Amino acid sequence: QVQLVESGGGLVQPGGSLRLSCAASGSWFSINNMGWYRQPPGKQRELVATITSGGHTNYGDSVKGRFTISRDNAKNTVYLQMNSLKPEDTAVYYCNVEVVQIVNSDYWGQGTQVTVSS
């Protein structure tokens, strides 16, 4: 079993910044991709950013140039630095981790609310 604990969400004004963290604990052989997804109110979940075990990153078009994903493999933690936040970034943000156990498995965090509003 794998547990993901997210932190760092909250209320921020437009143009502000937030940093999300997601720490994984449990048992696995290795961690492959780590990533962040979000679900705006009334909409489907969408990709924010992913990062491979080798550090290659991929971003959703709406966040390119404003958000940065990173990971600390020693701490089994993935981060999302969000700058120049806009009201349309308001959503519940979910951490996702792919681990190698007997088979590859995906795990999701509980979600953290990010609200961008003046």
Side-chain angles (χ1 to χ4, degrees), residues 23-45:
S25 61
S27 180
W28 54 74
F29 295 116
S30 63
I31 298 178
N32 288 341
N33 292 349
M34 306 180 84
W36 292 94
Y37 293 75
R38 68 186 182 186
Q39 188 163 15
K43 297 183 179 180
Q44 292 186 330
R45 193 172 296 188

Side-chain angles (χ1 to χ4, degrees), residues 88-106:
E88 50 264 45
D89 294 318
T90 295
V92 179
Y93 284 70
Y94 295 92
C95 170
N96 174 264
V97 172
E98 180 191 16
V99 301
V100 179
Q101 298 171 314
I102 303 300
V103 295
N104 289 13
S105 302
D106 265 335

Side-chain angles (χ1 to χ4, degrees), residues 13-85:
Q13 292 186 341
S17 298
L18 282 175
R19 189 192 194 207
L20 305 183
S21 299
C22 173
S25 61
S27 180
W28 54 74
F29 295 116
S30 63
I31 298 178
N32 288 341
N33 292 349
M34 306 180 84
W36 292 94
Y37 293 75
R38 68 186 182 186
Q39 188 163 15
K43 297 183 179 180
Q44 292 186 330
R45 193 172 296 188
E46 62 185 23
L47 167 72
V48 177
T50 59
I51 184 167
T52 68
S53 57
H56 296 288
T57 58
N58 181 49
Y59 294 93
D61 288 341
S62 62
V63 306
K64 286 180 181 177
R66 299 187 298 122
F67 291 10
T68 302
I69 189 171
S70 61
R71 62 191 282 174
D72 184 332
N73 292 327
K75 295 181 179 179
N76 300 318
T77 299
V78 61
Y79 305 96
L80 184 69
Q81 178 66 43
M82 305 185 291
N83 298 329
S84 302
L85 282 160

